[in-house]
Amino acid sequence: MSGRRTSNNRIRGPQSALTDFLAANNISAAQISADYERRRREAQQQSEQEAAANGTIVEEDVEEQQPDDREETALQKKKRKRAEDKAREKVKEGKNSKKSKKNKKGAPDGEDSDAAFDMYSKSKPLPGQLENCEKCEKRFTVTPYSKTGPEGGLLCVKCSKEQETQKKKDAKSTAKKQAGPREKRRQTESSKLDGIILDGALSLQDLCIRTIANNIHHVEEFGDLPQKSIKTLGHILSKKRVITSRTLPLFLRPDLETLEMTDCGGLEAEDYIKIFSFSPKIQNLTLRQAGQFKDEVLDYIIERDIPIKHLKLYAANLVSDHKWIEFFTKCGHRLETLQLRELDYSMDDITFMHLVRNCPDLKRLKMKKCWRLSDRALGAIQELKRLEHLSLQFKLPTSAQSLVDLIMAVGFNLRTLSLEDFHDADNSVLQAIHTHCSQLQKLRFTDNDLCTDTGFTELFTDWSNPPLSFVDFSSSRSIDYNNPDGTEEAVGLGTVGFEALMAHSGSQLETLMIPSCRHIEREALENVFDGTKEYPTIKTVDISFVKRTDTPIVAGIFKSCPRITKLTAFGCFSVSDVMVPKGVALIGVPNAQDSIIQEGGYDFDMISAGFGLM
């Protein structure tokens, strides 16, 4: 009873996890300590015995050496010192190896340890506290979104935005550098679609122009660059959409007389005024996508009496009709060229009549996609007897007789005639061209479904006009969904009309555009491009959606047109496995395994032998 009470009255404190583990596995700490002391004594005795046998003294530690009581000879003393030096070296090597292992694991040492300790000991300010910006030293309030600078400090809002912008620029430049051949191939194919066929490396001048265009934001002025190079730069920068208030002054000079901008979407009205203030002698001006060209710009031109002779404006819809009338009244006597496009709000028939009345010296007139012009405008053009180039495309319906009267009045002096989307024009218009036009070099007559193959045949038969250099009869065909094969009489340019065209103008023709003229039979194509007839000046051909076109026809075109550089054949599903000549771009051939653009590498003789055209 007393023993049980004694055992129950023992008070025990908390035990550690290690103590519980040792007790559970019958491991005694006292026994471990005793074994350690025993092994230590045995090792010391063994080292003393070895030292006595060798006549030297080697202790377990250099710092705890005990001198021998015996008298040492000179040889023994020398050996003892040598052994001591070896022992010290071993101790040093052991310490150095331990330090290197710690450093490899990332443990700081020496001065690096102090620097690392200072870095980690300094904690970042908490949100709501004040801190100095690492870059600009400005005092700001820390937020959870504060950015870290390159040296570990915090940045203010302005410096944070600048840092993010710089990171994005660096990422873009890195992506461009890593794009490699794929990006170059894409650019090459884009150039081919634009009609730019590159054969070999770029010239040094082209490389310099492209380098300037890619670094335009670092350019301060163009210096004495020739006008042709500046024009090329304008086209490249317009395609990149970087013509802005900052880059526009690069093109302006006090003696500038010609300026061409193909994309002015980033310019404001003040920028257009800046053009005339910097270049008051400008005479030839081309501005495309000029959506912010407003009344105040024309006011500035009128007030400063800018000597503009050639004006080409696209999409200038913010100029009012009364301002156009004032401009034509005061400045129209100088105009020799006027080209206006995409006018869906301004420029009605009355305004156009003021144009004709006040611009008697016009030689080139282009009015395309002008929604408010009608037959009255066609009648007014008859007064412009000096016209040499006429291009028209109206939205409102017009009559065939109005076109006939117009051609009868001004056709004798025309070098260029372009009539697009005149759906009511018939064979009488073609007959008027045949009768009254005798100096044409370029003829475009598109999107018509009333003129027949007979009308086109009569146009080119016994025509006193010299051979044409440019022909475009796109989409001249019947549109009847109930009769997809067309009427008995071919509507639009057909077999006989096509043969008459090539017989009349084939010797001087440079550009042939006949897409969607689906009534041209295969026999006509074979007769014209048979490989024996040669058309030495043809460079560009478009036969898209001429469904009878097949592989031998395309091969015949390559053989008959030795100077051809571009052939477009969208929708010609019978064309496949074509051997394309070197330096020629074949665009649109439906081959799922290859690119839509095929650049040739074959000689004409190989093509001729392959398709029996020799």
Side-chain angles (χ1 to χ4, degrees):
M1 188 73 178
S2 60
R4 186 175 60 205
R5 184 183 298 114
T6 303
S7 61
N8 291 335
N9 288 336
R10 291 177 182 176
I11 299 174
R12 296 180 180 180
Q15 295 182 351
S16 65
L18 177 60
T19 305
D20 292 339
F21 174 77
L22 295 176
N25 292 275
N26 294 323
I27 299 175
S28 173
Q31 182 64 34
I32 294 173
S33 178
D35 292 340
Y36 170 72
E37 293 294 337
R38 178 177 55 78
R39 289 194 299 272
R40 185 172 179 276
R41 285 195 301 270
E42 290 177 356
Q44 186 175 1
Q45 291 175 2
Q46 184 177 359
S47 63
E48 289 177 355
Q49 291 175 0
E50 292 177 356
N54 295 331
T56 59
I57 301 175
V58 180
E59 275 79 16
E60 182 182 20
D61 195 333
V62 177
E63 295 178 357
E64 297 178 358
Q65 294 180 0
Q66 296 179 358
D68 195 355
D69 295 333
R70 298 178 302 170
E71 292 290 336
E72 289 183 331
T73 63
L75 181 61
Q76 290 177 344
K77 187 175 181 180
K78 188 175 181 180
K79 289 183 178 181
R80 180 177 61 80
K81 288 184 178 180
R82 190 182 301 160
E84 290 177 357
D85 292 339
K86 288 182 179 181
R88 290 191 184 95
E89 290 178 0
K90 288 182 180 180
V91 172
K92 289 181 180 179
E93 289 177 0
K95 290 183 178 181
N96 292 333
S97 63
K98 290 179 181 180
K99 289 182 180 180
S100 62
K101 289 180 180 179
K102 287 183 179 180
N103 292 334
K104 287 181 180 179
K105 292 180 182 179
D109 184 62
E111 296 178 359
D112 296 337
S113 174
D114 296 336
F117 178 80
D118 292 339
M119 182 178 68
Y120 287 108
S121 63
K122 295 178 181 178
S123 60
K124 293 183 179 180
L126 296 176
Q129 296 180 348
L130 295 178
E131 179 68 6
N132 291 329
C133 177
E134 179 183 302
K135 286 187 176 181
C136 63
E137 301 292 336
K138 182 181 178 181
R139 195 79 168 166
F140 71 99
T141 303
V142 179
T143 67
Y145 307 102
S146 297
K147 303 291 182 181
T148 304
E151 297 181 2
L154 296 179
L155 301 177
C156 64
V157 177
K158 182 180 179 182
C159 296
S160 298
K161 291 181 179 179
E162 292 177 354
Q163 180 175 265
E164 291 298 320
T165 303
Q166 186 62 36
K167 286 182 178 179
K168 290 180 180 179
K169 289 182 179 179
D170 295 341
K172 286 183 179 179
S173 61
T174 304
K176 287 182 179 179
K177 291 179 182 179
Q178 295 176 350
R182 182 177 180 183
E183 186 68 23
K184 292 181 180 179
R185 179 187 174 192
R186 195 173 164 195
Q187 179 61 39
T188 302
E189 294 186 357
S190 175
S191 299
K192 290 176 185 176
L193 283 174
D194 293 337
I196 303 173
I197 311 301
L198 300 176
D199 188 9
L202 293 173
S203 65
L204 181 60
Q205 182 180 12
D206 292 337
L207 288 174
C208 294
I209 290 175
R210 294 195 178 192
T211 302
I212 293 174
N214 293 332
N215 299 275
I216 191 63
H217 294 291
H218 302 287
V219 177
E220 295 182 358
E221 62 177 6
F222 288 154
D224 295 331
L225 278 179
Q227 186 61 34
K228 183 179 178 181
S229 299
I230 293 178
K231 182 179 179 180
T232 304
L233 272 172
H235 290 171
I236 295 175
L237 297 179
S238 296
K239 190 174 182 180
K240 292 176 175 288
R241 300 290 182 91
V242 292
I243 300 296
T244 60
S245 301
R246 188 248 176 249
T247 56
L248 177 63
L250 297 175
F251 297 88
L252 304 180
R253 294 180 295 190
D255 59 343
L256 184 67
E257 295 183 355
T258 301
L259 178 64
E260 182 174 352
M261 294 291 173
T262 56
D263 185 3
C264 302
L267 301 181
E268 300 294 335
E270 294 78 9
D271 299 319
Y272 296 113
I273 295 176
K274 186 188 300 183
I275 292 175
F276 304 109
S277 62
F278 279 26
S279 306
K281 298 180 181 180
I282 194 165
Q283 297 181 10
N284 191 343
L285 180 64
T286 301
L287 300 175
R288 299 186 183 183
Q289 314 305 328
Q292 295 300 314
F293 196 95
K294 301 179 181 179
D295 285 357
E296 53 261 36
V297 182
L298 283 183
D299 285 334
Y300 190 90
I301 295 174
I302 296 170
E303 292 173 2
R304 300 302 176 94
D305 198 22
I306 306 297
I308 296 179
K309 294 182 179 180
H310 308 278
L311 179 62
K312 304 174 186 178
L313 285 179
Y314 293 4
N317 282 292
L318 297 182
V319 180
S320 60
D321 286 332
H322 72 273
K323 190 56 62 178
W324 277 122
I325 293 173
E326 182 182 356
F327 171 73
F328 294 141
T329 303
K330 296 183 179 180
C331 302
H333 61 281
R334 293 196 204 94
L335 286 179
E336 298 179 6
T337 299
L338 180 63
Q339 297 184 12
L340 302 177
R341 292 191 57 157
E342 285 92 22
L343 297 181
D344 53 3
Y345 175 74
S346 60
M347 190 61 62
D348 56 7
D349 288 335
I350 298 176
T351 307
F352 189 81
M353 294 176 72
H354 282 275
L355 182 157
V356 173
R357 190 178 302 117
N358 294 284
C359 305
D361 295 331
L362 272 181
K363 296 181 180 180
R364 185 185 297 269
L365 177 64
K366 177 183 288 188
M367 306 296 294
K368 288 197 171 185
K369 297 183 180 179
C370 299
W371 289 23
R372 302 176 65 187
L373 298 181
S374 63
D375 278 339
R376 295 181 64 186
L378 293 178
I381 298 176
Q382 299 178 25
E383 301 178 14
L384 298 174
K385 302 299 182 181
R386 298 186 180 181
L387 273 183
E388 296 180 1
H389 307 275
L390 179 62
S391 299
L392 301 175
Q393 185 181 14
F394 293 174
K395 287 292 184 179
L396 295 178
T398 56
S399 64
Q401 188 59 43
S402 299
L403 289 174
V404 171
D405 296 339
L406 171 62
I407 295 170
M408 292 175 61
V410 300
F412 67 95
N413 200 36
L414 290 181
R415 272 69 172 174
T416 300
L417 178 60
S418 175
L419 302 174
E420 298 182 67
D421 294 339
F422 287 94
H423 302 293
D424 295 327
D426 53 17
N427 288 341
S428 62
V429 177
L430 298 179
Q431 186 60 41
I433 295 174
H434 176 88
T435 305
H436 299 283
C437 297
S438 58
Q439 302 185 57
L440 284 182
Q441 299 174 358
K442 175 180 177 181
L443 177 61
R444 174 181 279 123
F445 189 77
T446 63
D447 293 288
N448 180 269
D449 58 351
L450 292 182
C451 294
T452 63
D453 188 35
T454 303
F456 284 100
T457 304
E458 293 176 353
L459 169 63
F460 291 103
T461 303
D462 298 328
W463 191 14
S464 60
N465 195 85
L468 300 172
S469 61
F470 181 99
V471 171
D472 184 3
F473 292 145
S474 304
S475 302
S476 297
R477 78 276 191 247
S478 63
I479 304 176
D480 187 359
Y481 298 107
N482 295 324
N483 187 13
D485 294 331
T487 58
E488 294 182 1
E489 183 182 8
V491 176
L493 183 66
T495 298
V496 183
F498 177 65
E499 291 178 341
L501 160 65
M502 297 305 295
H504 176 270
S505 302
S507 60
Q508 301 294 327
L509 197 60
E510 297 181 4
T511 301
L512 176 62
M513 312 283 286
I514 52 172
S516 299
C517 295
R518 59 181 184 174
H519 296 290
I520 301 177
E521 298 294 335
R522 190 179 190 279
E523 291 76 10
L525 296 171
E526 284 182 339
N527 293 334
V528 172
F529 302 112
D530 58 359
T532 58
K533 298 184 181 70
E534 187 171 299
Y535 307 99
T537 57
I538 289 183
K539 298 179 181 179
T540 303
V541 177
D542 189 349
I543 54 173
S544 300
F545 303 101
V546 179
K547 58 184 180 181
R548 272 82 175 181
T549 304
D550 55 12
T551 304
I553 298 299
V554 172
I557 293 174
F558 291 149
K559 179 63 176 177
S560 298
C561 307
R563 295 186 62 188
I564 190 171
T565 58
K566 180 181 178 182
L567 174 60
T568 306
F570 286 101
C572 300
F573 300 104
S574 299
V575 179
S576 62
D577 300 328
V578 181
M579 292 187 293
V580 184
K582 185 178 181 180
V584 180
L586 176 60
I587 302 174
V589 172
N591 191 338
Q593 296 180 355
D594 296 329
S595 170
I596 199 170
I597 304 173
Q598 300 179 30
E599 186 177 8
Y602 296 94
D603 295 331
F604 283 104
D605 294 338
M606 297 174 59
I607 297 173
S608 302
F611 292 97
L613 299 174
M614 294 296 290

